Amino acid sequence: MTVNGTTLLLAGVTKRFGEHIALDAVDLAIETGGVHGLIGPNGSGKTTLLNIVSGVLQPEGGGIAYGDKDITAAPAHRIARLGIARTFQNLRIFKRLSVFDNVCAACSGSGGTLGRFGGLLPRRWRYDEIAPFLSFVGLLERAEDIAQDLPLGAQRRLELARALAGRPKLVLLDEPAGGMTPVETDHMAELVSDIAGQGITIVMVEHKMKLVMGVCERVAVLHQGRLIADGTPGDVQADPLVKEAYMGTRGSDA
Ligand SMILES: Nc1ncnc2c1ncn2[C@@H]1O[C@H](COP(=O)(O)OP(=O)(O)OP(=O)(O)O)[C@@H](O)[C@H]1O
Ligand SMILES: [Mg+2]
């Protein structure tokens, strides 16, 4: 899914909430493969950008292409079918379902059987179909546990397993290490690198600079809805505009 090496292309993407401009004519090209960081102070528009790419929100202006497809106005389910998965800053796991069933639910849409009244019944997933995803994120031992009983860090890993269960080509991560301990954050860094190593392109929103600088090949920076920098981690860290944007704000929690 590439056009000239670009997987995802945003051109002039603008999003308003009433009078507030959350994204202001953002141009961004995400190359195929690797981990692409998206950083910026609180309220700079990072989650809004992921919401627009994943079809949760529609932009008021500009366009988005995924490979050779225009996905600007595409609904979330179509974007997911095209191979874009995401995680949420505020987790969207099914808290009362087991860890196993959470991943099963994320696999849905890839088959089913016709029910007695003609509706499509979700197909039942075998243990060996789900286990690799749980094993990858270190949750196989907890497959039968109820999701809400997991600590936050494990819930974030479950959310990641759910995103991977749809076998995406592009994964959008919204603060995958939010609320994690340093040890859990290091584990998440390994997982993110492993996923990229499998040829899946990652766009990662994160505040934890050690994680961003450790795993990202490129980093884009949003400030008040505008893209103010886009380059290697070293270039971005040294950029005076970026330093100014973070001045007096919560730039990093690690
Ligand atoms: N549904 C909404 N309705 C109104 N305003 C919104 C909505 N979603 C986001 N905003 C506003 O848009 C701006 C960008 O929000 P967004 O959540 O994208 O920021 P963010 O960069 O993800 O911040 P954080 O680092 O705190 O998660 C903020 O000022 C926010 O208050
Ligand atoms: Mg956010």
Side-chain angles (χ1 to χ4, degrees):
M1 180 68 67
T2 65
V3 170
N4 299 330
T6 302
T7 286
L8 186 68
L9 190 64
L10 281 73
V13 169
T14 297
K15 179 68 193 173
R16 291 191 191 85
F17 294 110
E19 295 293 296
H20 181 72
I21 301 184
L23 291 176
D24 191 357
V26 172
D27 295 328
L28 181 65
I30 301 292
E31 300 292 306
T32 307
V35 187
H36 305 259
L38 180 61
I39 65 170
N42 292 118
S44 55
K46 305 179 298 294
T47 295
T48 302
L49 191 147
L50 296 197
N51 282 340
I52 284 178
V53 171
S54 59
V56 172
L57 293 174
Q58 308 289 321
E60 271 88 44
I64 307 162
Y66 174 55
D68 57 1
K69 299 207 164 45
D70 180 349
I71 59 165
T72 312
H77 63 87
R78 183 171 159 244
I79 290 173
R81 270 208 310 271
L82 290 173
I84 302 180
R86 69 168 294 179
T87 65
F88 288 84
Q89 186 172 354
N90 303 314
L91 295 165
R92 297 274 178 98
I93 56 176
F94 295 106
K95 289 192 176 289
R96 287 166 197 274
L97 291 185
S98 73
V99 167
F100 186 88
D101 286 343
N102 260 279
V103 179
C104 289
C107 287
S108 65
S110 348
T113 50
L114 270 188
R116 220 150 44 98
F117 303 106
L120 195 66
L121 296 174
R123 66 164 273 215
R124 299 178 70 91
W125 296 90
R126 293 193 319 269
Y127 178 81
D128 61 299
E129 291 174 297
I130 300 301
F133 299 110
L134 291 178
S135 176
F136 176 69
V137 299
L139 285 176
L140 193 55
E141 305 286 297
R142 306 202 66 168
E144 301 305 321
D145 291 8
I146 298 303
Q148 67 187 0
D149 295 338
L150 299 178
L152 175 66
Q155 291 190 12
R156 287 216 182 273
R157 283 185 280 121
L158 174 57
E159 173 116 320
L160 180 61
R162 282 169 48 77
L164 296 175
R167 300 198 177 278
K169 299 186 190 76
L170 170 65
V171 181
L172 314 171
L173 303 174
D174 200 349
E175 300 200 28
M180 284 188 168
T181 64
V183 171
E184 288 174 322
T185 302
D186 287 347
H187 183 200
M188 182 53 73
E190 281 171 28
L191 293 176
V192 169
S193 297
D194 281 0
I195 296 165
Q198 293 164 29
I200 297 171
T201 307
I202 296 178
V203 175
M204 179 175 74
V205 168
E206 241 319 318
H207 281 291
K208 293 186 172 172
M209 289 304 152
K210 188 172 161 236
L211 175 57
V212 172
M213 298 305 163
V215 303
C216 296
E217 275 107 74
R218 289 192 72 83
V219 179
V221 188
L222 281 174
H223 179 48
Q224 296 177 345
R226 295 205 182 98
L227 191 82
I228 58 164
D230 180 11
T232 64
D235 287 348
V236 160
Q237 256 177 328
D239 191 317
L241 270 182
V242 176
K243 287 182 183 168
E244 200 183 310
Y246 274 105
M247 207 93 77
T249 69
R250 176 185 149 235
S252 159
D253 56 8

